[in-house]
Amino acid sequence: MIKSISKTIKNSKTFIKPNEDYYINDNYNNIYVLTDGVSRDKENGLYPVNSPSQKVSVIFSNYVHNFLLKNIQKYDNKENLLYETMVKGNEEISKFNINYLGDFLPGTVGIIAIIYNNIFYYSYIGDCFGLAITNTKKHLFTKCQTELVHKHIKEFSAFEIRNIICNNINHPYSYGVFNGDIRAKDFIITGKLSLDNIKTILLYSDGFENFIKTKTIKELISLNVEELNFNTNYFCDDDKTIIKIAIKE
């Protein structure tokens, strides 16, 4: 038996900023989508309330969910399915961005997953996370692609990070973002896990990263996602989204 619950919590910034995370928790079809829109610059001192990053998160998420619903039975190789799904989702973002005139294309990162025949298949780009938990171990099966660029962030301008490093597989500090750039496909990572012995799988945006790190195996397995709320200190003021997938024997 598989049961999933989810929650998103808007950021606690000192200025008005919309929640640019988005998720689809399809418990019936065992399809899970979580995206995190890339933060924008302020305009005339204000963050754009009508955020294009929020829009591309929604566009991408809804597209990939529908594509998976229609095609899950057509692909024998489910990792290829998830890869192709992400590529096509990025193409949808390209259509949205086609008339964008700035040098900082609206973009999003994320992780998508399906469960099929007791196998958990996943695909991700950027800095969203996936954690598999047994009774004795925690296994982080994703790698934060922005780790190196954050370590060297003071060495580059914002323009260089967004336009020279982003989606450039040849740069040593490169990372992927779905912003319509065809090169984003170079950063799509796929994988699979047998659900044998796994008790819980957590998918979450980076706003929950430090909070999850502080929890024990027992606390994570018993985590009541629905009780998470805006007022709790999660060691981060960014948007926070989590999908908890509980596997019960």
Side-chain angles (χ1 to χ4, degrees):
M1 179 182 176
I2 298 169
K3 181 180 179 182
S4 56
I5 53 176
S6 46
K7 188 71 172 283
T8 189
I9 300 174
K10 182 181 176 296
N11 65 83
S12 55
K13 302 286 188 183
T14 56
F15 53 90
I16 297 175
K17 181 178 185 288
N19 188 344
E20 292 164 324
D21 284 5
Y22 190 76
Y23 72 92
I24 297 173
N25 176 21
D26 185 347
N27 191 57
Y28 181 79
N29 294 293
N30 295 333
I31 298 174
Y32 315 97
V33 182
L34 192 156
T35 51
D36 178 359
V38 178
S39 294
R40 309 297 299 169
D41 292 327
K42 290 182 179 180
E43 300 173 1
N44 299 318
L46 299 175
Y47 196 90
V49 177
N50 193 21
S51 167
S53 290
Q54 181 185 53
K55 291 180 180 179
V56 297
S57 291
V58 174
I59 289 169
F60 178 87
S61 299
N62 288 332
Y63 180 87
V64 300
H65 179 237
N66 289 329
F67 187 85
L68 289 171
L69 283 173
K70 294 176 182 177
N71 293 280
I72 194 168
Q73 301 296 337
K74 298 178 182 179
Y75 285 69
D76 293 331
N77 188 318
K78 305 305 181 189
E79 287 187 62
N80 283 349
L81 166 64
L82 294 179
Y83 176 87
E84 291 295 331
T85 301
M86 281 192 146
V87 169
K88 292 180 180 298
N90 188 49
E91 291 172 356
E92 291 301 302
I93 293 176
S94 177
K95 295 175 186 177
F96 175 82
N97 283 342
I98 192 168
N99 294 318
Y100 188 79
L101 300 178
D103 60 25
F104 178 25
L105 289 171
T108 192
V109 296
I111 182 168
I112 65 176
I114 59 173
I115 294 175
Y116 191 85
N117 288 344
N118 202 47
I119 302 293
F120 178 83
Y121 297 92
Y122 63 89
S123 182
Y124 71 91
I125 192 171
D127 56 1
C128 287
F129 296 88
L131 184 70
I133 306 162
T134 70
N135 282 328
T136 58
K137 293 182 180 179
K138 294 188 286 185
H139 170 50
L140 187 67
F141 55 85
T142 56
K143 182 178 180 180
C144 178
Q145 295 181 352
T146 58
E147 183 177 357
L148 285 176
V149 75
H150 279 308
K151 286 182 178 179
H152 297 270
I153 197 166
K154 294 182 179 180
E155 301 171 23
F156 303 96
S157 66
F159 178 88
E160 290 173 313
I161 291 171
R162 295 166 176 173
N163 298 281
I164 297 175
I165 300 176
C166 179
N167 288 332
N168 178 5
I169 197 67
N170 295 314
H171 196 284
Y173 309 143
S174 59
Y175 63 99
V177 170
F178 288 134
N179 58 10
D181 184 344
I182 192 173
R183 299 176 303 164
K185 65 182 182 180
D186 294 334
F187 294 86
I188 298 173
I189 305 297
T190 67
K192 62 183 178 180
L193 302 168
S194 169
L195 291 181
D196 294 341
N197 301 319
I198 293 179
K199 298 298 180 183
T200 301
I201 293 175
L202 300 179
L203 309 177
Y204 50 100
S205 60
D206 60 343
F208 268 129
E209 180 187 10
N210 292 329
F211 173 75
I212 297 298
K213 283 181 178 179
T214 68
K215 300 301 179 183
T216 65
I217 289 173
K218 183 177 180 180
E219 288 172 327
L220 291 173
I221 291 175
S222 62
L223 180 67
N224 188 337
V225 169
E226 294 175 339
E227 289 185 353
L228 300 175
N229 63 77
F230 179 85
N231 295 318
T232 303
N233 179 15
Y234 300 106
F235 313 104
C236 179
D237 63 357
D238 201 0
D239 301 322
K240 307 161 191 70
T241 303
I242 187 169
I243 300 174
K244 178 183 179 184
I245 307 165
I247 295 93
K248 300 181 180 179
E249 298 177 355

